[in-house]
Amino acid sequence: MATLLAPWHWLLDTFAWPWLLLALPLPWLARWLLPSARGTAAALQVPYGERLQRVAAVGRRGFGGSAGALAWLGWILLCVAAARPQQLGEAVQPPQAARDLMLALDLSASMREPDMDLGGRSVDRLTAAKAVLADFLDRRGGDRIGLIVFGRRAYALTPLTLDLDSVREQLNDSVIGLAGQETAIGDAIALAVKRLQARPAEQRVLVLLTDGVNTAGLLDPAKAAQIAHAEGVRVHTIAFGGEGSMSLFGVPMPMPGAGDEIDEAGLRAIAKTTGGRFFRARDTSQLVDIYAEIDRIEPIRQPGQALRPRIERYHWPLAAAFACALLAFAWPRRRLA
C-alpha cells in the first residue's frame, strides 16, 4: 500500500488541502450533465437579424477560443490556490530551555537508616531520596538525565537520555548494597566526568547525593573534584540524612553523633572546587527545596528540534486566476471592437 501511495506523496508535501484539486473537472461535468436551456418564447423579429447573427457568431467564436481557454486556466489556478500550495523553508532550530544532568545516588549501607519522614511515616533514607527524585524526574520534560549509583564502586545505570521512564525504572530498581556497602564518592565523580565529556562545556552538571564519607574507591574525592574542574563539570553536592536513629522497644530514637558521619566539609570543598553548590538536607522537605533550587540555577538554552516551516504560496495562483478572469471577460469585447 505504501508503494502505491508513494508517487502521490508530493501532493501532501506541496498542498495543505490537496483534496480540493478534485474540483478541477466540475465545470466540464456541469456542462455535460445539465440539460441545455431551451427558450419557449417567440423569437423577436427585427429587420437587422442577419447583422445580429453575425455579431453573436463572433462572440461565440471568441469565447470558445482564446477566452474559453483563459476561463479554464483561471478555474484551474483558482483550484490550485484553494488547495493551498506551500513551500518548505530553511530548517530552523528554535531555542528551548533544557538541562543535561547526571544524578549520582549513594546506595551504601548507611542509606538504610530509618530517620526520614515521608507522608507521616518513618522511612529509610533511600526510600525518601527515591520519592523526591521521582518527583524531580516528573518535572524534567525536555531534559536529558543520566543516573549513576555508587557504593563500594560506581556504576552508570543509564546514560544521558530523554527517556526519563527508563531512568525512573532504574531508580525504582535500585536497592541498598547494589553497588556495595561502602561509599566511593571520588569514583562516582570520576565516572560522571567521563560520561559528560561528550557534552558542551556549559552543560556538564553532576548532582551528587550522599549520606556518608568516602570510605572506598580508587580516587580521592578532592582529586576527583580537581579533575571535574579541569573538564568543566560543575558538581552540586547534597549531604542527606537526619540525626540517625536506633530502635528501643520498636520505637525509633535519636542516635547521638550519627549526624557527624556525613562529611559536610568534604562535600562543601568538592562543590567549591568545581563551581557548584553545597546543600544540606535533614528531611524530605529540605531535599525537595534543594532540587527546586537546582532547577533555578541550572537552566540551559540549547537548540530544540529542527523544523522546516511551511511558507504559504497560494497568493500567486490566486492572483493569476484573477488576471485570467479579467482577460476572459475582456477578450470578446476586444474582438467585437
Side-chain angles (χ1 to χ4, degrees), residues 13-272:
D13 295 335
T14 306
F15 297 98
W17 301 332
W19 51 271
L20 284 176
L21 295 176
L22 297 175
L24 285 171
L26 282 181
W28 180 82
L29 290 174
R31 183 176 180 182
W32 181 59
L33 294 175
L34 297 178
S36 301
R38 298 183 178 274
T40 57
L44 178 64
Q45 301 295 326
V46 294
Y48 43 85
E50 293 182 359
R51 184 180 176 185
L52 287 177
Q53 290 178 357
R54 288 197 300 271
V55 171
V58 171
R60 285 193 300 271
R61 285 195 300 271
F63 188 80
S66 300
L70 285 172
W72 272 105
L73 180 59
W75 174 254
I76 293 172
L77 290 171
L78 190 63
C79 291
V80 170
R84 286 181 56 196
Q86 298 174 331
Q87 178 183 357
L88 289 177
E90 294 294 329
V92 295
Q93 289 183 291
Q96 64 180 17
R99 299 165 182 80
D100 290 333
L101 295 174
M102 290 297 299
L103 302 177
L105 178 62
D106 188 350
L107 294 183
S108 62
S110 56
M111 291 291 284
R112 190 178 287 111
E113 194 68 44
D115 58 354
M116 292 288 112
D117 180 78
L118 183 64
R121 60 189 181 92
S122 179
V123 297
D124 59 72
R125 294 173 180 177
L126 179 59
T127 300
K130 281 184 177 182
V132 175
L133 284 173
D135 178 69
F136 181 72
L137 291 174
D138 289 340
R139 295 181 283 108
R140 298 276 65 76
D143 292 355
R144 289 184 178 88
I145 304 293
L147 179 62
I148 291 175
V149 296
F150 62 97
R152 182 178 180 83
R153 294 186 179 182
Y155 300 95
L157 295 188
T158 65
L160 285 170
T161 178
L162 292 171
D163 186 5
L164 301 188
D165 288 336
S166 296
V167 179
R168 192 177 292 105
E169 289 177 5
Q170 293 293 337
L171 176 66
N172 291 335
D173 292 339
S174 299
V175 295
I176 295 171
L178 178 66
Q181 301 294 324
E182 299 172 88
T183 307
I185 296 176
D187 287 5
I189 296 174
L191 180 57
V193 170
K194 182 178 179 180
R195 294 287 179 171
L196 289 166
Q197 281 179 333
R199 304 304 303 165
E202 68 276 6
Q203 299 182 19
R204 301 174 185 175
V205 180
L206 168 65
V207 179
L208 184 142
L209 185 148
T210 182
D211 70 338
V213 298
N214 190 78
T215 57
L218 302 176
L219 195 60
D220 180 73
K223 181 62 177 178
Q226 293 174 6
I227 296 174
H229 174 69
E231 295 294 334
V233 177
R234 293 186 304 282
V235 182
H236 302 299
T237 56
I238 303 175
F240 181 55
E243 301 305 323
S245 66
M246 61 181 179
S247 179
L248 180 62
F249 302 111
V251 180
M253 300 291 291
M255 186 169 62
D260 299 333
E261 294 179 0
I262 302 176
D263 184 11
E264 295 188 20
L267 295 175
R268 194 184 303 273
I270 292 171
K272 183 178 180 180

Side-chain angles (χ1 to χ4, degrees), residues 116-118 132 240 281-291:
M116 292 288 112
D117 180 78
L118 183 64
V132 175
F240 181 55
R282 289 180 171 82
D283 53 43
T284 53
S285 62
Q286 289 181 338
L287 187 59
V288 169
D289 293 340
I290 288 170
Y291 278 108

